[in-house]
């Protein structure tokens, strides 16, 4: 199911929600014991709608990004693009760079397969908005060290 | 033990006395300076100072913590100062005009550690492994000390080969442990050990 979805997404350029684990992405932040589980397309559409709302503020941006970080999946390129535009509306490039780091992290141990695809899809938006990727900033390697409290 | 009880009672007593300064109707359930009219403890809200609150945080308090599973904390990492304000003004314009150093400045103002730094190996395993082996070697030294200085000599019935042979012969004669034990190793027809 993962492989099918992934190859479909690569070849046709549409759909399957990129999954790292072979179960549908659980909806973050709400219980659904009596409701039907949401499909991947519905989740994507919902998050795109959240990020595209014109009056989004930092609180909602944080909440939705943290919820996405809590889901067991890599965000769809549509969600990523909407989120980057939301960061632009809020004039916050740090959040945009952090979000790209989050996407890289969510790829898990299949980062070599998934992340280049993500960059390929989202690259035009990154160039258009002028957001450097964490690799361009040198942040894919540790730069600063935080002193451990036990060593102080 | 008693001391800790006394300490806790003292702290509770102090808090209750401070709270009881106010009338019963207006006594707030708070130990903050604002609520008690001077004295008291700083609230979590006051402790975050000038930092901009950007979200709910992982527990609802305006604190900062680096977590890979909750990546956007409640507050920015650094308080706003003059340099950051200049960069933020520049941030409102075209991001293509920001240099890489400026983007990093802005990132570090909001976040303490990047993901790579959060996940960087600490080398703690060497400390743990070394400490464990040290403890094990101390245990071995203690055993050797006991063997040399504490234990008595082994009794004659173990060290003397004739006596051991007599005991084994008795076990064979009594057919002790005939299924899987010592008597099962002896061939009774031929009168010798099985091989």
């Amino acid at each position: 199911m993962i492989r099918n979805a992934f190859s479909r997404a690569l070849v046709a350029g549409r759909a399957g929600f990129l999954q790292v684990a072979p179960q549908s992405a659980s909806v973050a932040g709400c219980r659904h014991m009596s409701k039907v589980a949401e499909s991947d397309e519905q989740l994507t559409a919902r998050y795109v709608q959240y990020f595209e709302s014109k009056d989004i503020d930092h609180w909602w941006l944080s909440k939705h990004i943290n919820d996405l970080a809590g889901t067991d999946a890599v965000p769809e390129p549509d969600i990523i693009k909407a989120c980057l535009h939301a960061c632009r509306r809020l004039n916050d490039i740090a959040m945009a760079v952090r979000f790209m780091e989050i996407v890289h992290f969510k790829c898990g141990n299949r980062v070599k397969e998934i992340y280049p695809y993500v960059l390929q899809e989202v690259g035009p938006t990154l160039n258009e908005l002028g957001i450097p990727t964490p690799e361009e900033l040198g942040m894919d390697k540790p730069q600063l060290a935080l002193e451990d409290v036990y060593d102080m | 033990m008693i001391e800790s009880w006394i300490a806790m009672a003292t702290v509770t007593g102090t808090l209750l006395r401070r709270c009881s300064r106010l009338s019963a109707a207006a006594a707030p359930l708070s130990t903050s300076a604002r609520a008690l009219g001077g004295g008291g403890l700083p609230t979590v809200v006051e402790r975050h100072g000038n930092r901009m609150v950007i979200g709910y945080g992982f527990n609802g308090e305006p604190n900062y913590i680096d977590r890979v599973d909750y990546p956007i904390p409640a507050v920015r990492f650094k308080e706003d100062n003059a340099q950051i304000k200049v960069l933020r003004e520049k941030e409102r314009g075209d991001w293509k005009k920001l240099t890489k150093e400026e983007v990093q400045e802005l990132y570090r103002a909001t976040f303490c550690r990047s993901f790579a730094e959060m996940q960087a190996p600490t080398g703690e395993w060497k400390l743990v492994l070394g400490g464990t082996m040290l403890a094990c070697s101390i245990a071995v030294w203690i055993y050797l000390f006991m063997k040399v200085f504490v234990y008595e000599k082994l009794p004659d019935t173990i060290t003397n080969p004739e006596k051991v042979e007599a005991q084994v012969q008795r076990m064979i004669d009594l057919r002790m442990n005939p299924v899987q034990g010592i008597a099962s190793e002896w061939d009774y027809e031929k009168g010798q050990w099985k091989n």
Side-chain angles (χ1 to χ4, degrees):
Chain A
M1 190 201 151
I2 314 167
R3 245 181 260 273
N4 273 341
F6 188 68
S7 51
R8 258 194 294 126
L10 265 183
V11 170
R14 63 178 278 273
F17 202 123
L18 298 175
Q19 303 218 0
V20 178
Q23 69 242 22
S24 57
S26 61
V27 177
C30 85
R31 289 196 217 144
H32 53 142
M33 288 173 251
S34 54
K35 289 186 255 178
V36 179
E38 200 181 39
S39 80
D40 299 339
E41 286 78 15
Q42 284 174 327
L43 194 142
T44 310
R46 192 162 60 90
Y47 273 98
V48 169
Q49 186 197 1
Y50 286 152
F51 286 125
E52 277 182 348
S53 68
K54 289 295 160 202
D55 56 352
I56 195 169
D57 60 353
H58 268 103
W59 198 99
W60 280 108
L61 183 69
S62 296
K63 173 165 167 54
H64 293 315
I65 292 179
N66 282 322
D67 287 348
L68 273 179
T71 58
D72 189 12
V74 183
E76 279 279 336
D78 290 335
I79 304 180
I80 302 176
K81 287 183 225 176
C83 181
L84 294 174
H85 280 290
C87 292
R88 172 68 266 193
R89 283 200 295 282
L90 287 168
N91 299 320
D92 201 338
I93 194 171
M95 294 285 253
V97 176
R98 186 71 154 190
F99 186 64
M100 291 311 297
E101 282 191 292
I102 292 167
V103 169
H104 179 99
F105 176 72
K106 292 311 289 178
C107 295
N109 54 7
R110 293 175 62 181
V111 69
K112 286 197 178 58
E113 304 166 26
I114 304 179
Y115 195 60
Y117 166 71
V118 167
L119 283 183
Q120 169 198 319
E121 293 289 314
V122 169
T125 311
L126 290 172
N127 291 330
E128 171 202 336
L129 296 174
I131 302 171
T133 63
E135 291 76 34
E136 285 169 21
L137 291 171
M139 283 187 171
D140 56 334
K141 303 270 180 307
Q143 290 177 317
L144 304 173
L146 186 67
E147 199 182 1
D148 196 357
V149 287
Y150 297 111
D151 297 335
M152 289 182 182
Chain B
M1 188 59 192
I2 302 284
E3 288 81 6
S4 62
W5 282 114
I6 293 173
M8 272 174 11
T10 321
V11 168
T12 318
T14 317
L15 277 171
L16 283 171
R17 258 174 297 171
R18 285 191 172 170
C19 292
S20 69
R21 260 195 261 139
L22 309 150
S23 71
L29 293 172
S30 169
T31 54
S32 72
R34 230 179 350 181
L36 298 177
L41 309 162
T43 59
V44 179
V45 174
E46 290 153 3
R47 265 187 271 145
H48 80 272
N50 204 12
R51 293 171 177 79
M52 176 184 165
V53 175
I54 45 176
Y56 183 71
F58 74 100
N59 65 350
E61 302 284 343
N63 47 27
Y64 181 92
I65 186 163
D66 286 318
R67 289 176 66 153
V68 293
D69 58 339
Y70 208 89
I72 313 285
V75 296
R76 293 200 193 274
F77 179 55
K78 293 187 185 160
E79 296 183 328
D80 287 340
N81 58 22
Q83 294 150 302
I84 296 295
K85 284 202 172 65
V86 169
L87 282 176
R88 291 220 191 278
E89 279 308 311
K90 207 169 168 193
E91 211 182 359
R92 295 161 81 89
D94 192 1
W95 282 349
K96 296 195 182 78
K97 298 211 178 83
L98 289 170
T99 67
K100 294 219 163 72
E101 286 75 30
E102 286 171 342
V103 176
Q104 288 197 335
E105 262 308 307
L106 285 163
Y107 183 93
R108 294 291 174 185
T110 310
F111 300 109
C112 179
R113 283 185 290 174
S114 67
F115 267 73
E117 287 155 12
M118 273 192 251
Q119 297 180 287
T122 56
E124 196 186 350
W125 70 274
K126 298 175 211 167
L127 179 72
V128 172
L129 189 66
T132 308
M133 292 203 284
L134 192 72
C136 291
S137 57
I138 290 173
V140 173
W141 276 113
I142 291 173
Y143 168 72
L144 291 173
F145 170 83
M146 301 282 272
K147 190 85 179 92
V148 169
F149 292 111
V150 175
Y151 295 149
E152 294 169 359
K153 286 200 171 30
L154 285 175
D156 196 32
T157 46
I158 295 176
T159 51
N160 188 343
E162 289 166 4
K163 295 202 176 175
V164 172
E165 212 178 312
Q167 285 172 74
V168 173
Q169 182 61 54
R170 177 171 174 273
M171 283 192 239
I172 292 167
D173 294 340
L174 288 174
R175 316 268 165 141
M176 286 169 112
N177 297 329
V179 180
Q180 286 184 314
I182 193 157
S184 69
E185 303 282 334
W186 180 262
D187 192 341
Y188 284 94
E189 277 105 41
K190 294 196 196 137
Q192 64 185 25
W193 290 110
K194 293 179 190 169
N195 279 329

